[in-house]
């Protein structure tokens, strides 16, 4: 585990959160229901886990974030 790896994982994961949030719009963090709050906490957990365990491949947290955003979009349309 090197500092460079940690910085790369943090930058990529945070960048993905920003990109997904922009794609989904303001509803991501505004007007939160209980489900939205749980999803938001999950985003932070994924970010923290990817930074603290850089042995995982960088695509794993990105796929997890994409899955959570997809679930949030699906729940919004129901």
């Amino acid at each position: 585990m090197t500092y460079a790896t940690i910085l790369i994982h943090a930058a990529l994961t945070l960048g993905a959160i920003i990109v997904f949030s922009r794609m989904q719009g303001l509803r991501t963090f505004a007007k939160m229901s209980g489900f939205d709050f749980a999803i938001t906490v999950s985003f932070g957990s994924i970010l923290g886990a990817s930074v603290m365990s850089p042995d995982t491949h960088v695509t794993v947290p990105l796929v997890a974030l994409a899955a959570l955003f997809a679930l949030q979009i699906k729940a919004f349309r129901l």
Side-chain angles (χ1 to χ4, degrees):
M1 171 182 354
T2 65
Y3 291 122
T5 306
I6 293 170
L7 290 173
I8 290 169
H9 275 247
L12 288 175
T13 308
L14 186 59
I17 290 173
I18 291 169
V19 167
F20 288 139
S21 296
R22 295 282 180 176
M23 286 172 39
Q24 191 166 357
L26 295 176
R27 186 186 177 276
T28 307
F29 300 111
K31 302 178 187 173
M32 281 199 229
S33 66
F35 177 76
D36 293 330
F37 180 74
I39 292 289
T40 303
V41 170
S42 299
F43 296 154
S45 178
I46 291 170
L47 175 62
S50 75
V51 170
M52 295 308 295
S53 61
D55 296 333
T56 351
H57 197 271
V58 72
T59 57
V60 173
L62 300 180
V63 170
L65 287 171
L68 286 175
F69 272 100
L71 284 172
Q72 191 174 26
I73 289 170
K74 181 70 173 173
F76 177 66
R77 292 185 181 161
L78 291 177

